[in-house]
């Protein structure tokens, strides 16, 4: 089923569909002190800035169906690695629509983001994930990301 999708660099025309997927970032057992929108509101602002042309250090890949539906996205910001100060990237958002999960889109979006980050000079890529977000943590582990001890 995943063959019906293409992974491509996004542009502002994909923005509203991208933003519509963001609430899925809170689709897990979030900590009690958090509200679901806390987990994606900043990402919405970041994507809006990118759509407006105000985030040249960021790029985004989308998984598009043959009908042009955005089924998932990976959004990355190029930035200095905090400890080594080497060129790096941060995976800000990786989200797949619930109906298209378990078709490899998360892996494909992550891999596209990693390749693009390297092309743009990043020597590493980082991300943040809540400990309780087991689905995301399992994907990142499968992709070879380190987990804190």
């Amino acid at each position: 089923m995943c063959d019906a999708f293409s992974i491509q660099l996004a542009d502002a025309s994909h923005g509203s569909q991208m933003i519509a997927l963001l609430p899925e970032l809170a689709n897990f057992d979030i900590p009690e002190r958090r509200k679901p929108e806390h987990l994606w509101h900043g990402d919405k602002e970041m994507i809006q800035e990118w759509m407006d042309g105000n985030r040249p250090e960021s790029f985004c890949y989308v998984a598009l169906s043959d009908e042009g539906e955005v089924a998932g996205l990976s959004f990355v910001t190029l930035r200095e690695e905090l400890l080594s100060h080497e060129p790096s990237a941060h995976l800000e958002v990786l989200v797949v629509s619930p109906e298209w999960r378990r078709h490899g889109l998360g892996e494909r979006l992550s891999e596209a983001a990693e390749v693009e980050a390297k092309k743009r000079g990043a020597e590493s890529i980082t991300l943040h994930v809540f400990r309780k977000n087991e689905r995301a943590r399992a994907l990142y582990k499968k992709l070879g990301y380190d987990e804190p001890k």
Side-chain angles (χ1 to χ4, degrees), residues 139-146:
L139 174 63
Y140 297 136
K141 182 177 182 178
K142 180 179 179 181
L143 293 172
Y145 283 86
D146 296 331

Side-chain angles (χ1 to χ4, degrees), residues 5 7 15 17-28 39-40 43-44 47 60-64 69-76 91-102 104-110 113 133 135-136 139-140 143:
F5 289 86
I7 306 295
Q17 289 186 69
M18 291 165 46
I19 288 171
L21 286 177
L22 294 179
E24 288 302 318
L25 293 171
N27 189 359
F28 68 98
L39 277 63
W40 56 267
D43 297 320
K44 177 182 177 184
I47 289 172
C60 183
Y61 272 89
V62 288
L64 287 181
E69 171 194 3
V70 174
L73 69 105
S74 57
F75 189 89
V76 176
L91 180 61
E92 306 282 359
V93 175
L94 179 63
V95 64
V96 174
S97 179
E99 59 269 21
W100 295 111
R101 290 187 185 138
R102 301 246 182 256
L105 292 179
E107 284 181 58
R108 290 176 57 192
L109 286 162
S110 177
N133 192 342
R135 182 178 59 244
L139 174 63
Y140 297 136
L143 293 172

